Amino acid sequence: MNTYRKNAVMAGVLYFLGTVFGVSGGLIGGEVLTSLISGKPLVGVDMLSLVAANSSRLTWGAFLTFMMGISLVAMTVFLYPVMRKASKELAMGMVLFRGALEGTFYFLSTLGFLALVALGNEYIATGADSAVLQSMGNVLYQFQDRLAPAGTILFLIGTTCLYLSFYRTRLIPRWLSVWGLIGVVLYMAYALLHFFHLDNGIGFYLQMVLAPLEMVVAVWLIVKGFNPSAIAALFAKTE
């Protein structure tokens, strides 16, 4: 019987890499990227001068964001063949929201960061006296700030489909699935607070319930793989 060991390991590796790329991007990306990730937009700064001063770091942050998107989209491809045996609807929801739409969000974010770098370099090249470029930079920064919680909501819908599938199939221990579903609720509260600019600092703690689970599940899939008895039960239902 196919235990889908390769699928579990590949999904775990990609899950792990996606998380590492995301964390590394936040650490390397500099003040502008960090402000967007943390949901604490910069106010009263010369945005394009700041971008130009950190252009290399922001470029690396954009690259790592792009790599994170590729890794997490590919992760859903390896989970889908197993998940669909339990529920095609949940499996497709995972692929759509944690794959296609979340991937699109990371792609748009990457383009936005690179556009900010281009504007910052042009701003400095023209003598830092272009009000038009500064306005464009501010609008693009605000767009990135508004895009972040929208992308988070897409991520959370896909994550709900993922952990509901894990819960129903028992491919991983149910306590991990329950942890994930509780984390989704708290993370969604943060995303809505961020979306309406109501976060007063509690958002960081709301994220911290789900955030470490990403690494735990990644390592579990790499080391343990899928539960063999759960795989057998899925095959028995589909035969």
Side-chain angles (χ1 to χ4, degrees), residues 1-5 8 82-83 85 169-171 225-238:
M1 181 187 69
N2 186 357
T3 61
Y4 288 92
R5 176 63 178 163
V82 186
M83 298 299 194
K85 294 182 179 296
T169 59
R170 296 178 183 266
L171 290 169
F226 296 131
N227 181 359
S229 61
I231 291 289
L234 286 176
F235 269 92
K237 289 180 181 180
T238 56

Side-chain angles (χ1 to χ4, degrees), residues 52-103:
N54 294 272
S55 61
S56 295
R57 297 185 66 181
L58 188 53
T59 300
W60 272 106
F63 173 74
L64 291 169
T65 298
F66 185 57
M67 294 304 298
M68 173 174 61
I70 292 174
S71 299
L72 295 179
V73 169
M75 179 267 295
T76 66
V77 174
F78 286 96
L79 290 177
Y80 177 76
V82 186
M83 298 299 194
R84 70 181 178 86
K85 294 182 179 296
S87 171
K88 290 183 178 179
E89 292 78 12
L90 285 175
M92 282 302 300
M94 176 194 65
V95 171
L96 176 62
F97 286 96
R98 283 228 59 173
L101 294 177
E102 186 181 345

Side-chain angles (χ1 to χ4, degrees), residues 31 36 48-49 55 62 73-74 113 121-122 127 133 146 209 215:
E31 187 176 356
L36 292 169
L48 292 185
S49 293
S55 61
V73 169
F113 298 145
N121 291 337
E122 182 65 20
L133 287 177
R146 296 300 177 94
V209 177
M215 294 299 282

Side-chain angles (χ1 to χ4, degrees), residues 5-71:
R5 176 63 178 163
K6 182 182 74 173
N7 292 65
V9 171
M10 287 301 300
V13 169
L14 290 164
Y15 218 156
F16 183 85
L17 287 175
T19 304
V20 170
F21 285 138
V23 172
S24 300
L27 294 174
I28 294 172
E31 187 176 356
V32 174
L33 184 55
T34 300
S35 70
L36 292 169
I37 293 173
S38 65
K40 297 178 180 179
L42 300 171
V43 179
V45 300
D46 187 343
M47 180 58 61
L48 292 185
S49 293
L50 182 61
V51 167
N54 294 272
S55 61
S56 295
R57 297 185 66 181
L58 188 53
T59 300
W60 272 106
F63 173 74
L64 291 169
T65 298
F66 185 57
M67 294 304 298
M68 173 174 61
I70 292 174
S71 299

